Amino acid sequence: MAKTKYFQIVSLFLAAAVITSILFISPGKVSGESAYSSNQDVESAILQVVNQNRSNAHRGSLIQSNSLTEVARIRSQDMAKKGYFSHRTPEGATVFDIMNGMNIIYMKASENLWLGTLEIANAQTVVDSWMRSRSHKKSILKKCYTQAGIGVIDSNGNRIVTIVLTN
């Protein structure tokens, strides 16, 4: 019991630290960006392509979740700010720590990441990359998932994309 409480406290602390560090980031637009007028447009386009793939596989469409979008943006911003690309932050936190710290309730969840140059970083390319990976495709097409949040950050000529999926 004490060990469980300890891990809950550590998870909350890590999530709070990541969220706090992200709140002070104000990513700017990178010159030469794709035709999208904002990252919200890119996020919407990615969700549309994901849902097209789900429909082709006879799965229900994912609904955009504001709280999951916030988590996904936090993850992408943290990677851009700290210069890493991983499911685990340099401090050891995961997307699940952030979700738990924000009191997001879920039974199952997945996180897919994508990193590429702005020249190739359109919605179709991002989703096609995920669909060519067995584990990422499995996450995208998992029947139980009903919600998604997508966070897109442009930094130093690159685009970082995070999608968080839950039931």
Side-chain angles (χ1 to χ4, degrees), residues 18-121:
V18 169
I19 292 167
T20 301
S21 69
I22 296 305
L23 291 177
F24 297 103
I25 297 174
S26 179
K29 289 293 190 194
V30 177
S31 62
E33 189 175 6
S34 69
Y36 297 106
S37 61
S38 74
N39 285 345
Q40 288 178 347
D41 291 340
V42 179
E43 292 165 356
S44 295
I46 290 170
L47 183 59
Q48 184 176 12
V49 177
V50 164
N51 279 333
Q52 180 181 350
N53 278 274
R54 287 179 61 86
S55 176
N56 293 344
H58 308 289
R59 306 290 193 267
S61 291
L62 299 171
I63 297 168
Q64 188 270 333
S65 160
N66 290 335
S67 58
L68 295 179
T69 296
E70 183 178 353
V71 170
R73 287 175 180 164
I74 286 169
R75 292 284 294 126
S76 291
Q77 288 175 358
D78 192 58
M79 286 183 267
K81 178 183 177 189
K82 296 178 183 170
Y84 71 95
F85 183 73
S86 173
H87 291 288
R88 200 171 280 284
T89 69
E91 301 80 20
T94 66
V95 68
F96 308 107
D97 296 318
I98 295 168
M99 290 168 59
N100 292 338
M102 293 174 65
N103 295 316
I104 296 172
I105 299 169
Y106 60 93
M107 296 287 289
K108 294 185 182 219
S110 294
E111 174 189 62
N112 287 357
L113 305 175
W114 186 89
L115 171 67
T117 63
L118 287 173
E119 291 80 26
I120 65 164

Side-chain angles (χ1 to χ4, degrees), residues 119-139:
E119 291 80 26
I120 65 164
N122 62 58
Q124 192 68 54
T125 301
V126 171
V127 178
D128 285 350
S129 295
W130 286 333
M131 297 304 285
R132 284 191 300 271
S133 160
R134 188 171 161 181
S135 61
H136 293 94
K137 181 178 182 176
K138 183 178 175 182
S139 294

Side-chain angles (χ1 to χ4, degrees), residues 144-161:
C144 69
Y145 291 154
T146 58
Q147 300 179 67
I150 300 166
V152 175
I153 297 298
D154 297 337
S155 176
N156 299 321
N158 291 313
R159 177 165 283 162
I160 300 171
V161 180

